[in-house]
Amino acid sequence: MEVSRQNGRLSLLRESVRPGGKQNEETAMQSLGKLFGESPFLQLVEHAKRVHKCVALVLPVAEAVVAGDQQRVRDLQHEMSLNEYEADQLKDHIRQHLPHRYLLPVDRDDIIAFLRQLDRISDDAEDFAVVATFRRIDLPPEIQPDFLAFVSKVVQVSESLLDLAEHVGQIQKEAFSGHLSEETLKKIQQISQMEWEADKLSRNLARKYYSAEGLNAVSIILIEKLCRALSSIADHAENVAKNLRLMITRR
Amino acid sequence: MLLIALAVGFYMAWNIGANDVANAFGTAVGSGAVNFRLALILAAIFEFSGAFFVGSSVADTIKGNIVLPSAFEATPHLFALGMLAALLAASIWLHVATFMGKPVSTTHAIIGAVIGFGLVAKGAGAVQWVKLIRIAASWFVSPLVGGGLAFLVYYAIRRTVLRNDDPVRRAKMVVPLGLGSTIGIVLLSIVYQMGPRFVSGCSAKQLCLMSSPGVVALAVAAGLIARGIIALRTRDRVHVPHEAYTTVERWFGRLQIVTACYMSFAHGANDVANAIGPVAAVLQAARGCVTAKALVPSWVLAFGGLGIVAGLAMYGGKVIEAVGKKITEVTPTRGFSAEFGTATTVLVCSMMGLPISTTFVLVGAVMGIGFARGFGAIDMSVVKSIFASWVITIPISAVLAAVIYKALLVVGL
């Protein structure tokens, strides 16, 4: 619903920029309408949703890796790439439409940092999928459950974060002081906790695959790359959360 | 000549009604707090009462405090002619600016025009520069004051209502408070302005002091009644925390109708003078007494009020609708804060006889709320362009008035 309204707003903006036309009808009040620039917050929500679409594919990719289904991995990677591209485009649009002349309710740098961290989540998710396409990885059966648990944890971290990020539009509407802001602050704490848990899983997993018998060096390198991408997703999710906290609590 | 002045004055009032009234009701209609038809009716009533009850001070300023009337003591005819020229110049410039889609304040146009004719008719000595500086200063100060007030109100709402554990309960207390204070301020302004007309031997301030217990009692009563109604109507409702924000906005939506009326009232009080100040001057000159500190006749005030209502009825609706659709960011809490800040500033300026631009003050108020983290993005370049518009309006309307004055002399009206 928020998105469709945002689209309506965009078209309105375009209309008001058009020279001539109905301008003479509205005069002074039209300027009052123009006073409100393109608000970045609803678009941040949309961006978070697009990043979410990337992260949602991480678990299916991991499952395909475990199943050894390279065709499926490639299909998923292709889909992921498209999603990542869409998110990227929106990110650039938001940044371009965030001129210094705007009076914003949060620090402009916080919005930029928020976007950058979100963007890295989608980058890492894509990385994960790309690495998985390089070559068939034969995960030893004793590592598979740990690997999948780690993946789930990371996806869980980033999904809880994205759930929060999707509320940033409503939080702004409530002037960063409503009930929702309070709840969000509490949940941000939980995300840090989850990131820590993901870290622990990652360490345990690393010990296992480095010491596994019969794993060849190339597989170890690939698994390590996969895990690094996963850790990075969790890290950046935590950073986004911290950024969101800055936005809410500032001033 | 009086007839022409009346006609042009009516056109000015019409223009004010058509363009500026949306300031008050645009957001209330946009947020769905009030439907379009009711908005028109309320705007008409309150614009008229503002103009009628509190409009005379600013009219006095335009009539006698910009150009020294005593300079025209021997030639009242020229004074009338000049005021007519000023009125014509302001109307023409407004019309042109409207056509070009430029936001121009009627206040700035008429003041510039009056200065223009004064300079041409009697030279720089006839213009009361000290009083003009006061007026010009008020153009800078009023948006700041309006912005400051709006900031405080919105900040207070955020801190005391939205951040509270039970925002709805707080809203139920704050809404009657807002209602009561609005009513109190409006009543006091009417006493201040109209009192001396009916009660002789007392200054306006004395009257205000005397009537303040009554006014406060009325305001408190209004607040209490509102509180009672709210209590009655929400007795059986259970509030869900997630819907608290929506509920708060809904309550403020009710209150916003009142502040929109308040703003119409203040706007009528200040801006009617732009149309009828010169008319009153022409009227006075026609009677041959330019210098007399005569009160603006009530019927002239009513005439201006009617002009505003006419403009509103014929054209204001379109503008209100356009604005309401465009400014969706202005939710009832924000609308209330902006309108309360703007209306209070404008009303106080009206009582001080300072002609100011309602639109300016409103822009200031919107920025104030922006500083209180109220809006997603405020485009400061638009703010600049709005504030720059009066810089060109004043010389243009001054020159225009001078030219028209000379032309009228040649024609020999």
Side-chain angles (χ1 to χ4, degrees), chain B residues 1 67 72 75-90 110 113-118 120-121 278-279 281-282 285 397-398 400-402 404-406 408-409 413:
Chain B
M1 188 156 67
V67 171
F72 294 89
T75 51
H77 179 71
L78 289 183
F79 188 63
L81 205 63
M83 281 298 185
L84 180 60
L87 204 49
L88 276 169
I110 196 73
V114 173
I115 298 173
F117 112 76
V120 156
V279 175
V282 172
S397 58
L400 213 54
I404 292 174
Y405 175 73
K406 285 291 182 196
L408 287 179
L409 275 183
L413 194 79

Side-chain angles (χ1 to χ4, degrees), chain A residues 11-72:
Chain A
S11 61
L12 265 179
L13 276 171
R14 239 172 266 132
E15 214 169 84
S16 66
V17 168
R18 201 178 52 205
K22 274 170 53 180
Q23 274 197 344
N24 49 349
E25 269 186 17
E26 294 166 15
T27 65
M29 287 312 299
Q30 201 199 24
S31 300
L32 271 191
K34 274 196 249 163
L35 201 56
F36 300 101
E38 198 175 335
S39 165
F41 294 96
L42 290 179
Q43 288 180 327
L44 286 183
V45 170
E46 179 60 21
H47 183 244
K49 281 183 180 156
R50 290 191 186 176
V51 173
H52 209 149
K53 272 170 95 182
C54 296
V55 174
L57 290 175
V58 168
L59 191 57
V61 170
E63 280 164 358
V65 167
V66 169
D69 185 347
Q70 278 308 95
Q71 187 53 45
R72 179 153 167 76

Side-chain angles (χ1 to χ4, degrees), chain A residues 47-63 76-77 79-85 87 117-129 150-163 165-166 194 229-238 240:
Chain A
H47 183 244
K49 281 183 180 156
R50 290 191 186 176
V51 173
H52 209 149
K53 272 170 95 182
C54 296
V55 174
L57 290 175
V58 168
L59 191 57
V61 170
E63 280 164 358
L76 287 169
Q77 187 266 325
E79 197 184 336
M80 177 90 89
S81 175
L82 279 179
N83 290 345
E84 199 270 344
Y85 175 68
Q117 300 294 336
L118 268 181
D119 179 52
R120 292 203 176 143
I121 294 181
S122 60
D123 281 350
D124 292 334
E126 201 197 5
D127 257 11
F128 179 81
F150 178 40
V151 171
S152 317
K153 194 67 184 177
V154 166
V155 170
Q156 205 188 333
V157 175
S158 112
E159 288 196 332
S160 345
L161 175 270
L162 291 169
D163 280 339
E166 283 177 6
M194 285 157 73
L230 289 170
S231 296
S232 191
I233 292 179
D235 276 352
H236 289 132
E238 193 191 6
V240 177

